[in-house]
DNA sequence: TTCATGGTTCGATCCTAATAGAACCATTCA
DNA sequence: TGAATGGTTCTATTAGGATCGAACCATGAA
């Protein structure tokens, strides 16, 4: 009776601290090399290689080989969503025992990248506004940006033509780890974040998932959603 | 460097097959005794007791003691959501290697209980209809049943007075493991499922999470959402 | 070719944690 | 009170897997 449900097979993969660190490092959607991931996890490259092979086997990550560099990335949104769900439970579980919320932690709660879209307080605030003001609409069982919504998004230079041609859902919701409410994911979520960075309203803090808004950028963002 | 992110601490708890089986058994929202969980996991009661202590420590489950019986249940919706997220990834990961979808599996995909609300094809179909036909509305940043929605729900004997007095969110969405789209959770989700069982349109299949609709029950359910 | 760099494979070691036997505690019932 | 049942604690055993040293393979540069 060593079979068990498949959920344990997956959970055990994330359950090792070294692999957890690796997956965490990949949460910003970028692809990292095996060596970088080894450093990230604080282990030697041999050990890292073994872990990466197991993660590949479990289809949690994907590999892209370029020359002698092997780049690894998360296998998809489902995996990112799983990691956020874990953080949410870990956050609830950890309260009361060691809630040492450092300064970087505060920045993470305010605004961060979640796979490829905006999360944290500001991500949730944006989504709230979109829902309350009818930026989104129901179309064929799926959620999409309404004409009114596109009118608003035109302010930051976006139009329906900006959407990539793919079968990826236009709008999705993603449950926020820190705020515990939904924010916007899907291709529109990615589109908006990309544009915020493009406009210089905010920038990524290297080696973290933090999104740092400039003073004027945050001001403009606030006026956009008010 | 044996610290690692907290996500690994939680994932490792689910990562053991015995604990995974236990949590899986608790996914139907009921509370089970330590002995029942031991049988469910195929281990002795001593071992089960040790596992349950660890799950308690990680705040994944809660205990309620009644006489000599110790009842365990999932600690909350977040935990149930985590397990569904795991199933979703496990499902995607497992395809291609052993997709032995048995008959019970088909029933699970059609209709099942997810913590305390309806999931599967029928749960998603209900939620789609609710969204498309304006059964829900935005109120103070939260989702709630609209007057029109209550009119529809009156058909199965529900009214706003049916809602329990609690601070639990009235409506929430839960990402469906099998269909990979949202279905309705929250107190309204529980309310509806309870009523469907009460009316005899469907019943639970013992020892599983399957919800079995009667022929006439399914027919009436379909006419409700069409 | 030769050397340096980035990754993987192999083998040996070591440590954690899952497991069950035995004993113990608490509650219910006769 | 004593017997039966449900759970927990303690202990020793055992197995799986995380780890790294060493060797090996592939790519790119000199």
């Amino acid at each position: 009776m060593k079979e068990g449900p498949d959920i344990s097979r997956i959970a055990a993969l994330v359950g090792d601290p070294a692999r957890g660190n690796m997956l965490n490092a990949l949460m910003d959607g970028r692809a990292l090399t095996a060596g970088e991931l080894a450093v990230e996890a604080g282990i030697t490259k041999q050990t890292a290689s073994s872990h990466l092979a197991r993660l590949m086997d479990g289809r949690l990550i994907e590999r892209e080989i370029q020359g002698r560099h092997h780049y690894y990335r998360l296998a998809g949104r489902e995996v990112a969503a799983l990691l956020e769900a874990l953080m949410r439970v870990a956050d609830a579980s950890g309260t009361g025992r060691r809630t040492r919320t450092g300064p970087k932690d505060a920045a993470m709660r305010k605004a961060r990248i979640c796979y490829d879209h905006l999360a944290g307080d500001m991500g949730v605030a944006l989504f709230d506004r979109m829902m309350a003001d009818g930026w989104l609409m129901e179309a064929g069982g799926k959620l999409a940006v309404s004409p009114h919504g596109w009118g608003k998004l035109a302010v930051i230079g976006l139009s329906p033509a900006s959407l990539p041609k793919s079968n990826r859902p236009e709008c999705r919701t993603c449950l926020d780890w820190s705020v515990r409410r939904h924010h916007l994911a899907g291709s529109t979520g990615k589109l908006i974040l990309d544009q915020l960075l493009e406009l210089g309203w905010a920038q990524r803090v290297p080696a973290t998932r933090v999104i740092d808004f400039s003073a004027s950028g945050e001001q403009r963002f606030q006026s956009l959603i008010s």
Side-chain angles (χ1 to χ4, degrees), chain A:
Chain A
M1 181 54 96
K2 199 61 178 184
E3 186 166 357
D6 276 0
I7 64 169
S8 293
R9 210 191 74 228
I10 302 297
L13 287 174
V14 190
D16 178 77
R19 287 193 293 262
N21 276 319
M22 289 177 168
L23 292 170
N24 205 36
L26 294 173
M27 266 300 276
D28 60 7
R30 282 180 313 168
L32 300 177
T33 68
E36 289 168 330
L37 287 169
V39 172
E40 196 71 40
I43 52 180
T44 62
K45 57 195 169 105
Q46 310 93 290
T47 310
S49 183
S50 142
H51 284 308
L52 290 169
R54 304 196 84 208
L55 289 173
M56 284 284 290
D57 190 53
R59 316 258 181 113
L60 293 188
I61 59 175
E62 290 170 347
R63 175 167 53 183
E64 190 175 336
I65 298 183
Q66 278 177 19
R68 56 182 170 181
H69 292 274
H70 293 202
Y71 287 95
Y72 290 92
R73 74 175 84 245
L74 294 187
R77 269 168 293 119
E78 275 98 5
V79 179
L82 166 60
L83 296 178
E84 279 266 323
L86 273 168
M87 288 183 211
R88 211 157 46 245
V89 172
D91 194 53
S93 163
T95 49
R97 53 182 59 188
R98 47 167 181 146
T99 325
R100 46 183 182 94
T101 47
K104 201 183 84 179
D105 209 73
M108 284 274 282
R109 283 167 195 275
K110 182 177 178 189
R112 67 176 179 278
I113 190 172
C114 170
Y115 193 51
D116 61 6
H117 52 267
L118 185 65
D121 292 336
M122 298 185 70
V124 171
L126 171 63
F127 182 64
D128 280 355
R129 177 61 177 174
M130 295 181 83
M131 287 296 284
D133 194 30
W135 296 27
L136 302 175
M137 64 179 182
E138 192 72 24
K142 292 187 174 180
L143 211 56
V145 177
S146 67
H148 175 55
W150 284 119
K152 290 293 187 177
L153 291 177
V155 175
I156 58 174
L158 294 179
S159 71
S162 313
L163 275 179
K165 273 192 60 153
S166 80
N167 57 355
R168 177 174 178 191
E170 185 175 330
C171 296
R172 261 189 180 280
T173 59
C174 180
L175 196 47
D176 198 281
W177 146 59
S178 55
V179 189
R180 304 195 196 181
R181 285 172 53 197
H182 287 91
H183 58 246
L184 185 68
S187 56
T188 307
K190 170 178 165 55
L191 194 62
I192 292 176
L193 175 58
D194 287 348
Q195 190 67 2
L196 292 178
L197 298 175
E198 181 70 29
L199 291 173
W201 291 18
Q203 57 185 356
R204 298 203 42 189
V205 178
T208 73
R209 290 172 57 197
V210 174
I211 299 288
D212 185 28
F213 275 76
S214 70
S216 73
E218 180 162 356
Q219 202 172 349
R220 278 182 271 188
F221 182 85
Q222 291 297 348
S223 76
L224 174 67
I225 64 170
S226 62

